[in-house]
């Protein structure tokens, strides 16, 4: 009869051992992993460009100078940041970004035809600071001129 209990208890013990392992019991000192505390994905650099047509494949971006390296142009969102997962969430566009109407631009800027191109009613437009404002850090700031005596 003892052999019968051994034969029956071994499969039951194996099932219980597998059940405990499947539910994630940890050993002393081991920290369980939590997917919610993982680091956010690394920011992908923006696509380099030479003109606005090279950015048309990325919606709501314009080919503008990089904020930290003005010698380099990239496809950036209206807030001068690279798209996140291919999408832009900026509500308004900084100076030099493509636009359709004045409401697209940041405060102190207007949507005007781009210079140097044939003048047409529907030609490409970009945001430009209005007179008395200067483009500074993606905004149009009031320009104050002081005379030095």
């Amino acid at each position: 009869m003892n052999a019968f209990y051994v034969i029956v208890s071994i499969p039951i013990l194996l099932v219980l051992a597998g059940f405990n392992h499947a539910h994630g019991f940890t050993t002393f000192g081991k920290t369980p992993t939590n997917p919610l505390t993982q680091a956010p994905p690394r920011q992908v650099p923006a696509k380099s460009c030479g003109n606005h047509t090279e950015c048309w494949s990325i919606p709501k971006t314009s080919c503008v100078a990089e904020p930290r390296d003005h010698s380099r142009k990239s496809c950036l969102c209206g807030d001068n940041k690279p798209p996140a997962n291919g999408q832009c969430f900026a509500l308004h566009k900084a100076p030099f970004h493509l636009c359709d109407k004045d409401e697209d631009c940041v405060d102190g800027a207007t949507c005007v035809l781009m210079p140097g191109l044939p003048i047409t009613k529907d030609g490409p437009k970009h945001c430009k600071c209005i007179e008395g404002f200067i483009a500074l850090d993606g905004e149009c700031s009031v320009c104050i001129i002081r005379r030095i005596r």
Side-chain angles (χ1 to χ4, degrees):
M1 189 79 160
N2 285 338
F4 174 75
Y5 289 122
V6 172
I7 293 172
V8 172
S9 63
I10 289 177
I12 293 173
L13 289 174
L14 290 174
V15 168
L16 289 176
F19 179 76
N20 287 340
H21 179 69
H23 288 287
F25 287 125
T26 60
T27 58
F28 180 75
K30 182 178 177 187
T31 306
T33 57
N34 185 352
L36 298 177
T37 59
Q38 292 178 352
R42 209 173 55 127
Q43 182 74 30
V44 177
K47 175 185 173 185
S48 294
C49 61
N51 58 53
H52 290 299
T53 58
E54 294 177 29
C55 298
W56 283 352
S57 63
I58 309 168
K60 299 182 181 179
T61 62
S62 303
C63 185
V64 294
E66 286 272 352
R68 295 186 180 172
D69 182 4
H70 294 288
S71 66
R72 183 174 171 229
K73 286 185 163 187
S74 297
C75 297
L76 299 176
C77 297
D79 55 2
N80 287 336
K81 293 180 181 171
N85 294 327
Q87 295 185 344
C88 294
F89 300 101
L91 297 177
H92 300 288
K93 297 180 178 190
F96 312 110
H97 283 268
L98 293 175
C99 60
D100 293 319
K101 56 189 182 294
D102 290 343
E103 292 79 22
D104 293 341
C105 303
V106 295
D107 289 338
T110 186
C111 189
V112 298
L113 287 170
M114 294 176 66
L117 298 174
I119 298 175
T120 61
K121 180 183 171 191
D122 297 326
K125 299 177 182 179
H126 71 165
C127 294
K128 180 181 178 185
C129 293
I130 58 177
E131 190 173 336
F133 288 75
I134 58 169
L136 185 65
D137 294 331
E139 299 291 330
C140 288
S141 301
V142 176
C143 178
I144 300 173
I145 300 174
R146 290 186 177 172
R147 291 187 182 181
I148 299 174
R149 295 181 189 203

